[in-house]
Amino acid sequence: MASDPKTISQSGLLSAEASQAAALAAYGGVLTVDLDAIIANWRKLEKTAVPAECSAVIKADAYGCGAAEVARALSKAGCKTFFVATIEEARKVRAAVPEPTIYVLGGYFQNTGEHYAKINCRPVIGDLNELAEWDVFCRRTGWTGGAAIHIDTGMNRLGLTLSEAQAIIPRINAGDHGITLVMSHLVSAEQLNSPVNARQLAAFRGIASEFSGVPAALANSSGIFLGAPFQFDLVRPGAALYGVNPTPEADNPMQPVVDLKARIVQIRTIERGESVGYGGTWTARRPTKLAIIAVGYADGYFRAASSNDGTRGAEVIVAGKRCPVAGRISMDLIAIDITDLPPNAARRGHMVTLLGEGITVDELAHHFGTIGYEVLTSLGHRYARLYKGGNVEEPLTKPVPASTAEQPPSPPPIEQPAAPPPLPT
């Protein structure tokens, strides 16, 4: 198993924990991603959706977990289709996995066809203008890489209306259309008894059945657990892959994926009646021992998880025990009340756990006043990133300074396409 913090070279003069802290002293926190857990979650979702194909949504840098690393691990596990949000995301994923199909959810824009063709990925088209512009590009270049059609069945965000989709069916059924998937997106899949689910299912089933021979996809992570009628030919799990509970009304069937630790930079004591942090909103009710850790809201640990004299905030695992946040979370630092720990259980340089050891993404989301999706995608870039499992070769991914970060290639020169042909109204 590669990339576990314990595999970092140990000095004979230091304990394992102290050696780890020394090796990672340049970072306030350590974010560990368990690729084997992601693979296990994907396989569970795949089994639940059989015989439908199970794809993987790895947009937003695989929900903060590292799109290239996740794509490589899942591709080795058998995943053949990935979804991202932008062409730039697709470019990075394609560099990691040369073979799988990649769909770009953000749609197609005029003069971007060459970018799709260069990396062999497919746009998800959700507008008649997009479809016309895509047709122009394909006719002009002879590109046959395929595209998806997105139909809106109730989200009222992206997608053709049902009437627009109906209007293009004769063209699709005429053949040689290059459409490789028809899809929609559920509004309330996490709510088992929501009447919206049944309405969307009926609408999508009706329109998808008219796209002769084209595979259909409706279910996201939660939609997979709504049952076989929602699964069609392909399912698109995202957050569940990374440990977020897709069934909030029941126990989480997914394995935890992310472990987040932060370094203690100082131990201090205060007297009864003294306050802690900005605004002095938390007051010690007894002589109190504090651990100050080097992570804050700039690292994605939201200020909303602060505590005050009337409200208990989030908790952190210190020396195996839960300890509460004391006062407001600041940009770079958090104070933790460790008064109840045994003497010397926590010392300067020790690592404490903010996520993991029983603290789940969904628990942290509750304290943050948000959802697990936002917790994961907000995890900052000041952490040392460690990957375990998944046959990862590089154990430590360091933050890349903006001045040296890889820049995307300049767009190639593109001919101005002809005016889009008329489509049915």
Side-chain angles (χ1 to χ4, degrees):
M1 179 176 67
S3 68
D4 188 282
K6 294 178 182 177
T7 65
I8 296 172
S9 176
Q10 305 291 336
S11 166
L13 300 177
L14 297 174
S15 68
E17 186 177 37
S19 294
Q20 174 184 314
L24 299 173
Y27 308 96
V30 179
L31 179 69
T32 302
V33 178
D34 187 342
L35 294 172
D36 284 342
I38 293 177
I39 291 171
N41 288 339
W42 179 79
R43 285 177 172 156
K44 183 176 184 64
L45 294 163
E46 180 189 37
K47 184 178 179 180
T48 303
V50 166
E53 177 189 349
C54 188
S55 67
V57 179
I58 55 173
K59 62 182 179 176
D61 199 28
Y63 290 56
C65 291
E69 292 81 1
V70 171
R72 278 195 291 265
L74 287 178
S75 180
K76 290 176 183 177
C79 184
K80 294 180 172 57
T81 304
F82 294 99
F83 287 83
V84 297
T86 67
I87 297 177
E88 177 60 16
E89 288 183 348
R91 186 181 70 83
K92 293 177 180 178
V93 172
R94 178 58 77 210
V97 288
E99 297 299 328
T101 299
I102 302 174
Y103 285 100
V104 179
L105 293 163
Y108 179 79
F109 288 91
Q110 194 172 25
N111 296 339
T112 60
E114 273 80 357
H115 295 287
Y116 284 96
K118 184 177 181 180
I119 60 174
N120 188 22
C121 66
R122 303 174 181 180
V124 176
I125 293 172
D127 178 88
L128 290 179
N129 291 321
E130 293 178 33
L131 183 59
E133 291 161 1
W134 175 250
D135 280 343
V136 168
F137 168 75
C138 291
R139 285 201 304 273
R140 178 167 59 84
T141 63
W143 176 247
T144 58
I149 294 292
H150 186 176
I151 301 172
D152 178 32
T153 56
M155 182 71 78
N156 289 315
R157 219 172 42 174
L158 298 177
L160 276 66
T161 66
L162 291 173
S163 60
E164 288 171 337
Q166 188 71 46
I168 67 170
I169 286 172
R171 171 181 169 272
I172 301 299
N173 291 344
D176 195 27
H177 49 72
I179 301 304
T180 53
L181 184 70
V182 57
M183 58 176 280
S184 189
H185 195 55
L186 293 167
V187 173
S188 305
E190 72 281 0
Q191 300 173 24
L192 292 176
N193 297 317
S194 172
V196 177
N197 294 330
R199 290 200 297 268
Q200 286 193 270
L201 175 61
F204 183 68
R205 185 162 49 199
I207 192 70
S209 65
E210 298 193 48
F211 282 73
S212 179
V214 179
L218 177 63
N220 55 4
S221 291
S222 297
I224 293 171
F225 293 90
L226 292 176
F230 288 82
Q231 293 164 3
F232 290 89
D233 302 294
L234 179 141
V235 295
R236 309 186 310 271
L241 294 171
Y242 314 106
V244 175
N245 188 358
T247 57
E249 299 176 9
D251 292 339
N252 190 353
M254 302 290 105
Q255 293 186 21
V257 167
V258 174
D259 179 274
L260 177 60
K261 288 181 167 56
R263 183 161 40 88
I264 297 176
V265 295
Q266 191 174 113
I267 302 290
R268 62 190 302 127
T269 57
I270 60 174
E271 298 299 322
R272 183 178 183 272
E274 291 190 83
S275 65
V276 177
Y278 284 114
T281 58
W282 188 92
T283 306
R285 300 181 180 181
R286 58 180 176 173
T288 299
K289 189 175 183 180
L290 299 172
I292 312 301
I293 62 175
V295 161
Y297 58 74
D299 304 290
Y301 199 88
F302 290 11
R303 191 170 180 264
S306 303
S307 65
N308 56 49
D309 288 336
T311 304
R312 189 179 178 91
E315 294 178 326
V316 171
I317 306 292
V318 185
K321 296 186 178 180
R322 286 184 174 240
C323 298
V325 169
R328 285 181 179 167
I329 293 163
S330 54
M331 184 179 289
D332 313 302
L333 299 166
I334 304 172
I336 307 298
D337 183 351
I338 60 170
T339 309
D340 294 329
L341 294 182
N344 298 320
R347 291 175 294 182
R348 177 175 173 265
H350 281 188
M351 306 297 283
V352 305
T353 300
L354 286 73
L355 185 57
E357 296 187 55
I359 297 177
T360 67
V361 171
D362 295 297
E363 177 185 337
L364 212 52
H366 172 75
H367 288 295
F368 289 176
T370 183
I371 56 176
Y373 299 62
E374 189 174 11
V375 174
L376 291 174
T377 57
S378 297
L379 295 174
H381 298 286
R382 299 195 293 185
Y383 302 122
R385 286 183 172 242
L386 304 176
Y387 290 90
K388 64 180 184 180
N391 297 319
V392 176
E393 297 177 359
E394 294 296 328
L396 177 61
T397 303
K398 298 180 179 180
V400 180
S403 60
T404 61
E406 180 185 0
Q407 298 298 319
S410 299
I414 302 174
E415 297 178 19
Q416 185 66 25
L423 287 169
T425 59

